[in-house]
Amino acid sequence: MRVSASLYNRSPSIAARFRTSLEALWKKDGPPPRLGLAVSGGVDSMALASLCSETTKATSGQYPPLIGFIVNHKLRKDSTEEAHNVAEGLRRLQIEPRVLTLDWRPYGNPLAIDHLEHVARKLRYQAIGRACRENGITSLLVAHHADDQAETMLMRIVGKYFGSGLGGIRTRRPIAECRGIYGVDGSGSPRSAASGDKEVTGDVQEMLIEDGGVDVIRPLLTFTKAELIEHCMAAEMRWFEDHTNADPRFALRNTIRHLQTNEVLPAALRKQRLLEVAARVREQAAEVESSAQREYDQLDISLDIRTGIATFKDTARIRVVGRNVKTALVRKLLSLVAPVHEIKALDVYHVAESLWPESHDGNRKKGLRTPTQIANVTISPPSGAGRGIWTMARQVPTQKDTTSRFIILSQLSTWQLWDGRYWIRMRKRQVGNGTPETLEVSVRFLQQDDIAKLMKTSNPAQRRALRKLLSMASGNLRFTLPVLIAREVSSGTAMPDAGRVVALPSLGWSADGWARWSEDDGFEDPAVEWYWDIRYRRVDLVDGGSHRIVACLPHVRSSRDEAEGFRADVHDTAISPRPTS
């Protein structure tokens, strides 16, 4: 292929800009140990692969090793050949290729699926997310560029998005399609609430907090598609075109792409103007976020991860900040206990002002006087004796919640996310060469009938201990707690009974034959047949300063340990850092 001198002259500047863009993304924490690349074989992703390869060579291998993930969707007869051709192209760039083939068997004929593009995207990102987890990759580079940004902006305008939504595509985000996948969705590197260290301790009295996961990173958002094509031509890089992307009949984005490319839109809706608007919105959003983070860091906050209850102390200082900052601050606070991944600013905007109403002429506006619900969280204002302490807790579940948040636990030691708040797993003690499954164990919300059954089958000492445990989540808040229910299984089918309560994991209680799983146990208790473990989901809070995390599970012994019943020593204080030797 003949390439003009001008292309060769401009390509180095593109490479230099790319290196600067990439380094800016990990300026704070340093480069990750390995980088993943999502490579479709199109010009965008091949430009990304080429730029990554050139950057690695230019820095004498100081950049992280690269793995390129190629997804074979198996939707066209020549897709397998194309995937292998893309893999060969990556090898020439000295990038290790991995071809991931999607499994459509659960869906039957994929071409008959409604919204096939949406389903394919979800399966594609889930396959790549799991592959990243298996290869120890926490950063996945994708090739979205400035033209994609402009298209997204126009789509959001058409969809009547306003405010921060007009900031366009974010440079970094978790993989939304991988929610609930352990090791990808904000998990995989648990940390101690006491020390903040990312570690797995053998302390069965401490509940760990999850951290880690895989983030999508977009280093090409300031590059136009024309620049990426130019780079590939200068580098004599081959790429594969999906001609359906240019057909305006297939999707709204294709239609917008056609209008943008042919410049038939008004000047205010053309690419450069949209990119300028997005940049201004992102800059303003960053200023708001920075101000909200400063207020958050100074706020007295306590989070009890055993019950999922958070408190924060009222302060007059916040009354004078802008409403957008208040909104961002409330979203941060709600995220400590909310069972949802995304808390929309529009839903919070009016509530934020009622928490910290502004004062005019020395007269303070009336604020929130009664509990209110938002993002499935109940926010309760300070009581008369509350000394300015606000309380936030997961909203008491509705009947629909009770049904939809019911999951059957895998007996393969697999972490599963329950109610968006707790990661829970279980396993059976190994006996001999393996035993058939005899129980179906599920996790759901604690119910009044569960408490009644436990009280009925307990002696007076046990009932007192249970009441003390349950008092940690007073009133109806106890019905937001997880409970493990076991039912007998016969011939692979669960018996038609309500089952029995075998653990209140977030409170540290276990029935006979059950116990908390300890990673450091050198032996297994012969009296215990089943083990469970629990961790709190990732939160932006570290114990220390004005922030406090209560993560110490009560010390509970079952009736097999003490003839007179079990006892519960409920600790209502935060964990203290471990003493150093």
Side-chain angles (χ1 to χ4, degrees):
M1 178 185 296
R2 295 184 61 187
V3 183
S4 68
S6 62
L7 291 181
Y8 278 115
N9 291 337
R10 290 192 62 190
S11 188
S13 66
I14 295 174
R17 283 172 52 207
F18 174 77
R19 179 177 174 181
T20 300
S21 173
L22 195 59
E23 290 178 345
L25 293 174
W26 57 54
K27 183 177 181 180
K28 180 180 178 182
D29 300 320
R34 304 183 88 177
L35 275 176
L37 279 67
V39 183
S40 67
V43 66
D44 308 337
S45 62
M46 293 309 293
L48 173 64
S50 174
L51 287 165
C52 285
S53 176
E54 288 183 19
T55 301
T56 300
K57 293 174 184 176
T59 56
S60 302
Q62 295 179 11
Y63 268 47
L66 304 168
I67 297 181
F69 297 110
I70 306 151
V71 176
N72 179 6
H73 291 79
K74 299 290 286 186
L75 295 176
R76 292 180 287 108
K77 63 179 181 180
D78 54 353
S79 64
T80 299
E81 181 182 356
E82 285 184 7
H84 287 295
N85 288 337
V86 174
E88 187 57 37
L90 293 184
R91 289 190 186 95
R92 287 195 291 270
L93 293 172
Q94 298 181 358
I95 295 174
E96 180 183 352
R98 299 284 175 85
V99 177
L100 311 173
T101 302
L102 297 188
D103 182 6
W104 291 97
R105 287 176 296 179
Y107 295 87
N109 179 11
L111 298 180
I113 298 174
D114 291 334
H115 310 295
L116 174 60
E117 185 178 355
H118 171 76
V119 176
R121 173 187 171 87
K122 181 177 180 179
L123 293 180
R124 176 170 67 250
Y125 270 108
Q126 288 182 348
I128 295 175
R130 290 188 173 99
C132 285
R133 176 187 63 190
E134 292 164 4
N135 288 277
I137 291 171
T138 59
S139 297
L140 174 69
L141 304 187
V142 297
H144 294 118
H145 47 73
D147 293 53
D148 294 323
Q149 183 75 285
E151 291 167 10
T152 298
M153 281 285 294
L154 197 50
M155 288 182 70
R156 292 186 176 181
I157 291 171
V158 171
K160 298 183 180 179
Y161 279 75
F162 301 101
S164 60
L166 294 182
I169 306 172
R170 288 186 289 171
T171 304
R172 179 191 293 266
R173 71 164 178 87
I175 306 179
E177 293 79 6
C178 291
R179 287 173 182 165
I181 299 179
Y182 186 77
V184 185
D185 180 16
S187 53
S189 298
R191 64 181 173 91
S192 165
S195 65
D197 295 335
K198 291 186 177 181
E199 58 184 16
V200 177
T201 72
D203 184 0
V204 295
Q205 296 307 117
E206 179 183 1
M207 189 193 306
L208 299 178
I209 299 173
E210 278 295 349
D211 207 342
V214 181
D215 282 344
V216 164
I217 296 178
R218 302 181 175 95
L220 297 179
L221 285 178
T222 59
F223 295 76
T224 65
K225 189 176 186 74
E227 288 178 309
L228 300 182
I229 292 174
E230 176 183 302
H231 174 80
C232 283
M233 292 178 66
E236 298 188 358
M237 179 67 56
R238 292 182 60 193
W239 68 85
F240 302 87
E241 291 288 358
D242 183 353
H243 297 290
T244 61
N245 287 337
D247 193 327
R249 299 171 299 173
F250 279 101
L252 174 60
R253 182 175 287 274
N254 289 8
T255 303
I256 288 174
R257 183 175 299 139
H258 175 78
L259 295 173
Q260 291 276 18
T261 302
N262 291 279
E263 297 188 343
V264 297
L265 291 168
L269 296 178
R270 291 185 184 177
K271 180 171 63 179
Q272 189 56 41
R273 185 63 182 275
L274 291 172
L275 293 176
E276 291 171 358
V277 171
R280 285 200 300 271
V281 171
R282 288 196 303 274
E283 183 179 352
Q284 293 169 0
E287 292 175 357
V288 168
E289 178 65 21
S290 178
S291 297
Q293 187 65 48
R294 284 196 299 271
E295 298 297 339
Y296 182 81
D297 291 340
Q298 297 178 57
L299 205 59
D300 287 332
I301 303 172
S302 177
L303 171 63
D304 188 336
I305 63 176
R306 306 168 303 178
T307 58
I309 298 174
T311 61
F312 62 93
K313 191 172 183 179
D314 198 0
T315 172
R317 183 186 66 254
I318 300 177
R319 301 186 193 284
V320 298
V321 303
R323 183 175 285 193
N324 287 339
V325 175
K326 292 177 183 177
T327 299
L329 177 57
V330 173
R331 292 174 74 188
K332 286 179 173 294
L333 291 167
L334 288 170
S335 69
L336 296 174
V337 297
V340 296
H341 278 77
E342 183 179 6
I343 302 170
K344 297 180 180 178
L346 191 60
D347 295 337
V348 178
Y349 189 73
H350 297 291
V351 174
E353 184 60 29
S354 66
L355 263 64
W356 297 290
E358 297 180 16
S359 299
H360 294 284
D361 300 324
N363 297 317
R364 176 180 165 184
K365 288 183 179 179
K366 291 183 178 180
L368 192 67
R369 298 294 183 89
T370 58
T372 189
Q373 283 79 36
I374 184 169
N376 295 114
V377 172
T378 298
I379 305 177
S380 301
S383 61
R387 298 182 180 180
I389 302 297
W390 291 77
T391 302
M392 298 183 302
R394 200 255 190 250
Q395 184 178 346
V396 176
T398 63
Q399 184 61 43
K400 181 180 179 181
D401 289 335
T402 302
T403 303
S404 63
R405 302 303 169 98
F406 172 96
I407 61 172
I408 296 176
L409 291 177
S410 166
Q411 297 188 15
L412 301 176
S413 307
T414 303
W415 286 103
Q416 293 172 260
L417 183 62
W418 177 78
D419 195 41
R421 298 180 295 150
Y422 291 101
W423 290 95
I424 301 175
R425 66 174 174 174
M426 60 158 288
R427 71 174 175 89
K428 191 178 190 298
R429 181 167 63 90
Q430 296 298 317
V431 179
N433 294 322
T435 57
E437 294 183 1
T438 58
L439 288 181
E440 176 189 270
V441 182
S442 59
V443 56
R444 59 166 170 77
F445 289 106
L446 180 66
Q447 299 175 6
Q448 184 62 53
D449 286 349
D450 301 325
I451 299 174
K453 289 178 182 178
L454 284 174
M455 293 298 181
K456 185 176 181 180
T457 57
S458 302
N459 62 38
Q462 293 171 332
R463 286 195 289 272
R464 286 194 298 272
L466 269 174
R467 290 191 186 99
K468 192 172 183 180
L469 277 177
L470 293 171
S471 69
M472 294 164 58
S474 60
N476 287 335
L477 291 183
R478 65 189 55 176
F479 302 123
T480 67
L481 302 178
V483 59
L484 299 191
I485 303 293
R487 292 198 297 169
E488 296 292 335
V489 173
S490 177
S491 302
T493 304
M495 302 297 287
D497 62 74
R500 64 187 183 95
V501 176
V502 293
L504 300 173
S506 67
L507 301 183
W509 178 85
S510 299
D512 288 346
W514 289 75
R516 172 92 185 275
W517 183 345
S518 173
E519 294 282 354
D520 291 350
D521 273 351
F523 66 93
E524 292 183 325
D525 188 340
V528 175
E529 186 176 5
W530 299 88
Y531 291 90
W532 56 266
D533 201 359
I534 187 169
R535 293 174 184 167
Y536 201 67
R537 65 106 183 276
R538 181 172 66 181
V539 289
D540 178 21
L541 195 74
V542 177
D543 193 61
S546 61
H547 295 172
R548 176 172 173 264
I549 299 177
V550 184
C552 188
L553 295 176
H555 180 65
V556 180
R557 295 183 182 178
S558 65
S559 55
R560 67 178 173 81
D561 294 311
E562 299 185 54
E564 70 275 14
F566 61 77
R567 60 185 175 85
D569 299 326
V570 180
H571 303 288
D572 195 27
T573 58
I575 299 178
S576 299
R578 293 185 183 83
T580 56
S581 55

